């Protein structure tokens, strides 16, 4: 009898507990505007999809991610006292994030990529089980990291990227206060002041503080012995030197201090770091004269800023392509030299338009640099390399399909500018007269299923932020059903391949040598920006003359970057996953499929050869042994010892090496 009574009591207690959560869950259901694929119709919330309960029907998990759900969260969410995981990321939920303090069981709070308009004042107060928090990319009004954060004593990962944070970084990150904190990501906010001294005693492995307005010394870093990745880049005012004590941080894999005010030099001790992969100290006031020799697996980035003569100002890619350029110049130089000999002219040839000086008898780096500088100044009067770069932080532009239909005359054939591997490009003109290029990506059901909408959007989001004088700007996009369209700036002079290989059909003039040189440098600069954008490396993977577009001023911009990542898998062989175009593929890539920035450098080399010779990378109209440009070019280069004329003959006959060019000094 008493047993039965107890059982009844227990049941009624359980029922009470369950109904307590029911009230909150019903409130949640009615405040969210659920999409049709989320079935929350059962009277028992424990039966709802994406809701988990424990044995006592208490709600332990709510995971509604990437659904495009609108609506708000109810204020009484904190009554779900057994909640362990709350995951609502990549939706369109608005309103405030309600007070969640006192949710002592909550371990994961993941609300990034929504439209929340505020965080609770007592953020994380009493939430001592909380391990992972992601609130990134919400349109909060400006706010400071509150003191209550330190009550979340189990915190491992805290990510508040692009959250409109201001004020200084609070000084409670020591392992005494937050002993488990391993990853702190505060990228892209407006934090001021210095790095707090509590960092020195923290257990942080990943520290991302790029894109703020921090100042003061970086010296605290040398005490952060757990560090694996540290990213402090982005036009900040951090000062100090790279201490030799950094060599003690033997877990370090990535040090990114790009664009700060650091001074001194790179200490040799850093070469002993066993796990180091990336050391980016470019755009600082560091002396890049004596960069110590790192092992081949370390990517060391040093460009811009600190003096070491003219050469240190040249960017790393420009340096990489220089040997190729030098080769090309030797060729031209030799041609010029031979010609000059014949004409009994001195070997030194000067052309007035470009101040270009060719010294055919010494082909050291310095000559090429001089040339690079001269060519640059003849086409633009811009300042330092820094002014090339504009990272646009504003939101991206969504353009409706109706607008795009109307500006392209309903995608009419007359408006087609070209057809590429990723779709057809149409010309369009907006009401205000602005011309645009609209790329309609090949639409098929597989596109939609292969790449999630959210993923596509986030990639687009990154691509729209890449702005550089030598990249074709992505202005906006449109997603409508199966349609995926990208809107680019319009490049009036078309592609480099038209100018290089089809100029006769199009009744144009062939490109002169200085144009070709300027174009090569433009492309190299665009590619370098891609390779060093933010702390990631974007690899183009399909550089070729038809992806290089020319503006009214005949300056070049690289297009179609990032599209390999957006394309459905089916666009290239699934077995090999090799993307790219024959003739431009680096041999090691074709064999191993490993994607590195060197891929693009190889393609760039091929493009340079094309610029010099005027021949296509693969030209089936040539003799069997000359079809492949790279092979043929190598043979010509090797034969120079025996046959000096071979060189001259390899140069594009349309480059005028005639008396007129030479005489016009
Ligand atoms: C909820 O979604 C429906 C259908 O998508 C829409 O008609 C309605 O306006 C939405 N309500 C709110 C408040 O967003
Ligand atoms: C939430 O819990 C508090 C007590 O913890 C209670 O007073 C209140 O009625 C509950 N609200 C709802 C909507 O369940
Ligand atoms: C940041 O906050 C300020 C003031 O609260 C607001 O004006 C601004 O729009 C916010 N910025 C973003 C990117 O949300
Ligand atoms: C959380 O931080 C750890 C350690 O830094 C890291 O390895 C892990 O990837 C992070 N988790 C997520 C989801 O980012
Ligand atoms: C920090 O956020 C950036 C986005 O700005 C992301 O690329 C990076 O991977 C994040 N780092 C960690 C450790 O989660
Ligand atoms: C950092 O900048 C602030 C102004 O934003 C200034 O008051 C402070 O003195 C600077 N600190 C250092 C160490 O330069
Ligand atoms: C860093 O460590 C050194 C000893 O290696 C110590 O003297 C110094 O005070 C520490 N700095 C900070 C900010 O804790
Ligand atoms: C760069 O450092 C040198 C000496 O180390 C100094 O004279 C110069 O003023 C610094 N330049 C800037 C812009 O800080």
């Amino acid at each position: 009898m008493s047993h039965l009574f107890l059982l009844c009591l227990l049941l009624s207690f359980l029922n009470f507990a369950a109904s307590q959560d029911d009230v909150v869950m019903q409130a949640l259901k009615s405040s969210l505007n659920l999409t049709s694929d989320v079935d929350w119709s059962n009277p028992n919330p424990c039966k709802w999809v994406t809701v988990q309960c424990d044995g006592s029907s208490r709600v332990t998990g709510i995971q509604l991610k990437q659904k495009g759900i609108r609506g708000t969260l109810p204020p009484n969410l904190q009554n779900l006292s057994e909640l362990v995981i709350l995951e609502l990321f990549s939706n369109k939920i608005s309103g405030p994030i309600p007070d969640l303090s006192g949710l002592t069981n909550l371990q994961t709070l993941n609300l990034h990529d929504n439209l929340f308009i505020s965080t609770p004042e007592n953020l994380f107060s009493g939430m001592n089980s909380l391990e992972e928090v992601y609130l990134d990319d919400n349109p909060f009004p400006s706010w400071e990291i509150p003191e209550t954060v330190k009550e979340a004593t189990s915190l491992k990962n805290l990510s508040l990227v692009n959250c409109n944070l201001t004020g200084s970084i609070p000084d409670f990150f020591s392992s005494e206060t937050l002993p488990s904190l391993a990853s702190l990501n505060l990228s892209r906010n407006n934090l001021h002041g210095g790095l707090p001294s509590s960092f020195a005693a923290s257990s942080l492995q990943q520290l991302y503080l790029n894109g703020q307005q921090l100042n003061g010394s970086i010296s605290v870093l040398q005490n952060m012995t757990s560090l694996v990745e540290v990213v402090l880049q982005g036009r900040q005012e951090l000062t100090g030197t790279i201490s030799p004590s950094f060599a003690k941080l033997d877990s370090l894999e990535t040090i990114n201090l790009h664009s700060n005010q650091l001074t001194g030099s790179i200490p040799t001790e850093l070469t002993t770091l066993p796990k180091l992969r990336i050391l980016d100290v470019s755009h600082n006031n560091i002396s890049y004269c004596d960069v110590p020799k790192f092992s081949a697996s370390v990517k060391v980035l040093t460009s811009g800023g600190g003096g070491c003569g003219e050469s240190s100002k040249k960017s790393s890619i420009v340096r990489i392509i220089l040997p190729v350029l030098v080769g090309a110049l030797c060729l031209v130089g030799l041609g010029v030299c031979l010609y000059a000999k014949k004409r009994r002219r001195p070997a030194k040839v000067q052309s007035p338009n470009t101040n270009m000086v060719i010294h055919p008898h010494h082909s050291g780096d310095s000559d090429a640099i001089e040339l690079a500088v001269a060519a640059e100044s003849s086409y633009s009067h811009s300042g330092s390399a820094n002014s090339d770069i504009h990272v646009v932080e504003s939101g991206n532009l969504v353009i409706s399909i109706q607008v795009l239909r109307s500006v392209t005359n309903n995608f009419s054939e007359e408006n087609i500018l070209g057809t590429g591997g990723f779709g057809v490009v149409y010309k369009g003109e907006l009401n205000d007269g602005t011309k645009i290029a609209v790329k309609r990506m090949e639409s098929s059901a597989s596109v939609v299923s292969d790449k999630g909408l959210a993923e596509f959007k986030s990639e687009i989001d990154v691509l729209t932020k890449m702005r550089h004088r030598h990249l074709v700007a992505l202005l906006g996009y449109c997603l409508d059903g199966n349609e995926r369209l990208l809107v680019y700036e319009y490049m009036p002079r078309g592609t480099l391949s038209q100018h290089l290989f089809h100029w006769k059909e199009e009744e144009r003039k062939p490109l002169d040598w200085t144009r070709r040189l300027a174009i090569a440098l433009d492309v190299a600069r665009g590619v370098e920006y891609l390779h060093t954008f933010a702390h990631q490396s974007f690899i183009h993977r399909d550089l070729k003359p038809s992806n290089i577009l020319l503006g009214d001023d005949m300056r070049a911009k690289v297009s179609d970057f990032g599209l390999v990542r957006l394309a459905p898998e089916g666009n290239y062989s699934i077995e090999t996953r090799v993307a790219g175009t024959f003739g431009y593929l680096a041999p090691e890539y074709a064999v191993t499929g490993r994607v590195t920035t060197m891929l693009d450098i190889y393609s760039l080399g091929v493009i340079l050869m094309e610029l010099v010779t005027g021949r296509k990378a693969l030209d089936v109209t040539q003799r069997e042994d000359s079809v492949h440009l790279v092979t043929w070019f190598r043979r010509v280069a090797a034969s120079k010892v025996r046959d000096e004329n071979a060189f001259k003959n390899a140069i594009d006959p349309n480059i005028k090496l005639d008396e007129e060019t030479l005489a016009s000094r």
Side-chain angles (χ1 to χ4, degrees):
M1 194 61 185
S2 68
H3 278 108
L4 197 63
F5 175 73
L6 265 179
L7 194 66
C8 284
L9 203 70
L10 194 67
L11 276 176
S12 66
F13 174 75
L14 284 181
N15 268 338
F16 166 73
S19 65
Q20 189 189 20
D21 280 359
D22 282 0
V23 172
V24 183
M25 291 305 283
Q26 293 297 345
L28 178 65
K29 180 180 160 182
S30 57
S31 71
L32 288 179
N33 200 349
L34 293 172
T35 43
S36 56
D37 58 336
V38 180
D39 183 5
W40 280 17
S41 54
N42 197 295
N44 179 0
C46 292
K47 298 265 165 70
W48 295 353
V49 290
T50 71
V51 171
Q52 296 98 46
C53 292
D54 63 11
S56 325
S57 294
R58 297 296 311 273
V59 174
T60 55
I62 304 171
Q63 287 168 287
L64 271 179
K65 54 197 182 195
Q66 296 170 316
K67 299 275 187 202
I69 291 169
R70 293 176 189 275
T72 58
L73 297 182
N76 56 0
L77 213 56
Q78 85 192 122
N79 279 35
L80 298 175
S81 56
E82 296 299 321
L83 200 59
V84 176
I85 175 166
L86 179 60
E87 215 168 54
L88 304 169
F89 65 86
S90 300
N91 284 298
K92 290 180 175 158
I93 305 172
S94 51
I97 294 178
D99 187 0
L100 301 172
S101 63
L103 283 182
T104 51
N105 291 302
L106 195 68
Q107 291 174 9
T108 302
L109 178 63
N110 195 340
L111 304 179
H112 69 79
D113 287 282
N114 273 290
L115 300 171
F116 288 111
I117 56 159
S118 66
T119 52
E121 229 156 75
N122 52 355
L123 193 71
F124 311 154
S125 180
M127 297 169 74
N128 53 20
S129 300
L130 200 56
E131 293 180 1
E132 293 186 65
V133 175
Y134 308 91
L135 303 181
D136 323 39
D137 297 300
N138 275 293
F140 299 128
S142 68
W143 61 300
E144 297 192 19
I145 301 175
E147 283 284 304
T148 48
V149 166
K150 64 184 181 193
E151 294 180 37
T153 49
S154 303
L155 214 50
K156 290 181 179 159
N157 298 40
L158 176 59
S159 192
L160 303 173
V161 175
N162 189 20
C163 276
N164 213 353
L165 285 171
T166 57
S168 54
I169 304 172
D171 201 9
F172 51 62
F173 291 105
S174 72
S175 52
E176 228 166 87
T177 315
L178 298 172
S180 313
L181 192 65
S183 173
L184 179 63
N185 199 343
L186 304 177
S187 301
R188 293 157 56 203
N189 283 293
N190 288 309
L191 295 165
H192 296 263
L195 304 177
S197 55
S198 61
F199 275 164
S202 77
S203 51
L204 278 170
Q205 294 168 18
Q206 269 127 4
L207 178 61
Y208 276 70
L209 290 171
N210 49 310
Q212 324 281 338
Q213 280 141 46
L214 298 174
N215 63 3
S217 168
I218 60 160
S219 64
V220 72
L221 294 182
Q222 67 213 42
N223 291 42
M224 299 179 70
T225 47
S226 310
L227 270 187
V228 175
E229 273 180 281
V230 54
V231 177
L232 295 173
Q233 74 162 34
R235 308 264 160 85
Q236 302 202 35
E237 311 222 319
L238 291 168
T239 54
T241 57
I242 300 172
S243 159
S245 339
F246 274 33
K248 287 183 302 190
L249 313 180
D250 52 16
S251 311
L252 256 187
E253 291 171 11
T254 302
I255 317 175
N256 186 340
L257 301 166
H258 188 325
S259 301
N260 277 290
Q261 310 273 323
L262 306 179
T263 50
S265 54
I266 304 173
T268 316
E269 285 85 346
L270 262 59
T271 58
T272 63
L273 284 170
K275 296 187 175 158
L276 192 64
R277 290 295 166 266
I278 296 174
L279 171 64
D280 187 350
V281 292
S282 49
H283 296 278
N284 277 285
N285 194 8
I286 285 178
S287 158
Y288 303 126
C289 295
D290 304 306
V291 177
K293 183 129 183 60
F294 285 86
S295 88
S297 55
V298 185
K299 184 176 168 193
V300 181
L301 293 165
T302 56
S303 66
C308 183
E310 189 67 19
S311 63
S312 74
K313 291 205 181 103
K314 287 286 116 201
S315 54
S316 50
I317 284 217
V318 174
R319 254 186 251 161
I320 291 172
I321 70 158
L322 277 178
V324 186
L325 256 182
V326 169
L329 287 171
C330 282
L331 239 155
V332 175
L334 214 100
V336 168
C337 171
L338 289 172
Y339 189 89
K341 260 192 209 149
K342 215 164 77 190
R343 309 291 313 176
R344 290 202 194 88
R345 289 186 179 278
K348 186 174 163 189
V349 179
Q350 198 161 8
S351 136
N353 304 333
T354 59
N355 304 321
M356 179 163 45
V357 184
I358 304 176
H359 303 277
H361 297 306
H362 19 148
S363 54
D365 260 0
S366 57
D367 291 337
I369 287 156
E370 199 177 330
L371 257 173
V373 172
E376 166 79 348
S377 61
S378 72
Y379 284 105
S380 83
H381 302 281
S382 72
S384 69
N386 259 348
S387 63
D388 287 358
I389 297 166
H390 308 282
V391 177
V392 180
E393 289 285 6
S394 62
N396 48 28
L397 186 61
V398 180
I399 303 173
S400 79
I401 186 95
Q402 287 81 7
V403 168
L404 294 181
R405 272 190 201 290
S406 102
V407 301
T408 59
N409 197 8
N410 200 15
F411 301 114
S412 75
E413 289 214 1
E414 297 91 81
N415 284 47
I416 292 181
L417 288 170
T419 307
F422 303 102
V424 182
V425 186
Y426 299 84
K427 182 176 167 178
E429 188 166 338
L430 303 179
N431 282 341
D432 66 355
T434 313
K435 293 203 174 77
I436 55 171
V438 181
K439 178 166 294 224
R440 193 181 194 183
M441 310 244 330
E442 267 148 36
S443 64
S444 66
S446 73
V447 179
V448 177
S449 54
D450 280 1
K451 285 273 169 184
L453 216 58
E455 199 186 335
F456 186 86
K457 278 188 194 155
S458 77
E459 300 241 346
I460 295 285
D461 193 44
V462 174
L463 295 182
T464 51
K465 283 176 186 139
M466 299 177 119
R467 291 290 166 98
H468 186 275
R469 199 150 54 102
H470 300 301
L471 293 183
V472 177
L474 178 60
L475 304 174
Y477 69 95
C478 166
L479 297 174
D480 195 281
N482 278 355
E483 290 274 12
R484 279 153 197 240
L485 301 119
L486 302 174
V487 177
Y488 289 97
E489 68 177 306
Y490 175 68
M491 298 291 289
R493 296 289 186 100
T495 69
L496 174 59
S497 65
Q498 287 167 330
H499 288 266
L500 205 51
F501 307 126
H502 306 290
W503 52 274
K504 273 191 195 134
E505 294 105 284
E506 314 212 348
E507 296 177 354
R508 301 176 203 256
K509 272 196 269 174
L511 294 170
D512 66 32
W513 169 242
T514 47
R515 285 276 177 230
R516 295 182 195 218
L517 192 58
I519 289 169
L521 285 165
D522 290 349
V523 175
R525 295 211 165 92
V527 172
E528 182 186 38
Y529 175 78
L530 279 179
H531 285 183
T532 57
F533 180 74
H535 50 277
Q536 331 177 17
S537 220
F538 274 77
I539 298 164
H540 190 297
R541 295 216 243 169
D542 199 13
L543 277 176
K544 54 184 173 184
S546 58
N547 277 338
I548 294 164
L549 304 182
L550 300 173
D552 261 331
D553 54 0
M554 291 302 283
R555 299 306 300 259
K557 297 191 187 200
V558 176
S559 80
D560 272 8
F561 49 91
L563 291 199
V564 169
R565 288 151 60 109
L566 289 177
E569 305 264 278
N571 250 11
Y572 42 93
S573 159
I574 302 222
E575 256 152 39
T576 57
R577 305 228 164 165
V578 169
T581 303
F582 288 118
Y584 303 88
L585 285 180
E588 77 276 10
Y589 171 56
V591 172
T592 66
R594 280 192 59 221
V595 175
T596 70
T597 48
M598 284 301 151
L599 271 185
D600 288 348
I601 309 292
Y602 183 92
S603 310
L604 216 61
V606 178
I607 295 169
L608 281 173
M609 290 179 194
E610 294 182 314
L611 283 167
V612 171
T613 62
R615 286 177 47 157
K616 290 186 192 170
L618 286 180
D619 186 351
V620 288
T621 66
Q622 298 286 342
R623 265 176 33 206
E624 186 63 28
D625 62 349
S626 307
V627 167
H628 184 218
L629 175 63
V630 177
T631 313
W632 173 78
F633 195 91
R634 283 210 182 110
R635 208 169 48 233
V636 170
S639 69
K640 74 163 183 240
V641 192
R642 284 174 280 114
D643 180 6
E644 299 209 324
N645 265 328
F647 253 175
K648 196 187 156 199
N649 294 340
I651 302 169
D652 187 344
N654 299 301
I655 298 177
K656 281 199 192 147
L657 285 169
D658 59 8
E659 189 174 8
E660 211 175 290
T661 310
L662 297 173
S664 63
R665 48 164 112 193

